Amino acid sequence: MKIAVLSRNSHLYSTRRLVEAIKAKGHEARVIDHLKCDLTIEPTGPKVHYMGEVLDDIDAVIPRIGASVTFYGTAVVRQFEMMGVFSTTYSQSIVRSRDKLRSLQLLSGAGLPMPRTAFTNYSKEERSLVDHVGGAPVIIKLLEGTQGLGVVLAETRKAAQSVIEAFHGLKARIIVQEFIKEAKASDLRVFVVDGKVVGAMKRTGQEGEFRSNLHRGGKAEVVKLSRLEKSVAVKAANAMGLSVAGVDILQSSRGPLILEVNSSPGLEGIERATGVDIAEQIVAYIERNQPKKKGTISKLKA
């Protein structure tokens, strides 16, 4: 098979590992910068043009779409889907995962546990928002934030109101969540591929830092999940329609709580912490799901 990794940088750890895994299994690998793709829609069918050629021989794609280019990146993935090319992550699922509010609505609809969350479009409801999630301290998040950016811990009601007012003044969309103190600045990153947990690590933030993201200087260690934590992670990925996902879970006094579900989770932290070849698991997933015959239009849920 010819498998394309949709990535803007061939030198990134995740991209390199996927290319290595594809080649190790005897397939042809290609890295395609999705922002340099041109899309044409014609009576003869959709086409993807890249660097002067038509990409009509790709059997499967592995999307690595950054949050800042979600719109165009998912358009490229959707075009490949319309051409009958197998994708490890559906374009619609990427769109859903990038909208924190929509993600939480889907997870809630599936009956999955998560921190209490509040959202409003009314700038004078700062006090009510804090009350809705059980009072201060609270976590305030930008809906479009990634890698721990746009996340604020407000330790008092007054601080929370000030931060919410400031974000609303900037016309920024935010959600307010309860602060899970017993998590102690740690969370679990659970990697799910094809409905199974293939790796998990515990991430802990630096001293004085409430965010556990590795990009913010957090540390990672291998962790053994409980049966319930595995079940919740798989159900969360399924609820989002993701076959490849990084599910972030908080360990609370009332059990595991889903924090977020990522559609393009990085491989570096999880592979180094666990020693598991996650890239190989993703390629094996493609092999188990032989690509559809070209020209077949994918029927995706809206």
Side-chain angles (χ1 to χ4, degrees), residues 206-265:
Q206 290 182 321
E207 185 175 351
E209 173 63 73
F210 72 96
R211 295 168 296 183
S212 61
N213 305 71
L214 300 185
H215 291 87
R216 307 261 70 80
K219 64 179 182 179
E221 58 184 328
V222 66
V223 65
K224 183 174 175 139
L225 300 178
S226 68
R227 184 176 299 178
L228 179 58
E229 288 165 343
K230 287 183 180 180
S231 174
V232 164
V234 171
K235 288 178 180 177
N238 290 340
M240 297 297 297
L242 292 169
S243 295
V244 176
V247 183
D248 296 341
I249 295 175
L250 290 176
Q251 294 176 303
S252 78
S253 58
R254 61 181 189 268
L257 303 176
I258 301 168
L259 196 58
E260 191 172 356
V261 183
N262 300 274
S263 56
S264 294

Side-chain angles (χ1 to χ4, degrees), residues 167-185:
F167 277 134
H168 279 163
L170 295 171
K171 306 298 181 183
R173 295 182 298 167
I174 60 169
I175 56 174
V176 177
Q177 287 186 324
E178 67 172 312
F179 177 62
I180 308 299
K181 183 178 180 180
E182 60 267 31
K184 298 179 180 178

Side-chain angles (χ1 to χ4, degrees), residues 130 136 154-165:
V130 176
E155 297 187 351
T156 66
R157 178 182 294 276
K158 187 174 181 180
Q161 290 181 226
S162 296
V163 173
I164 295 170
E165 286 176 358

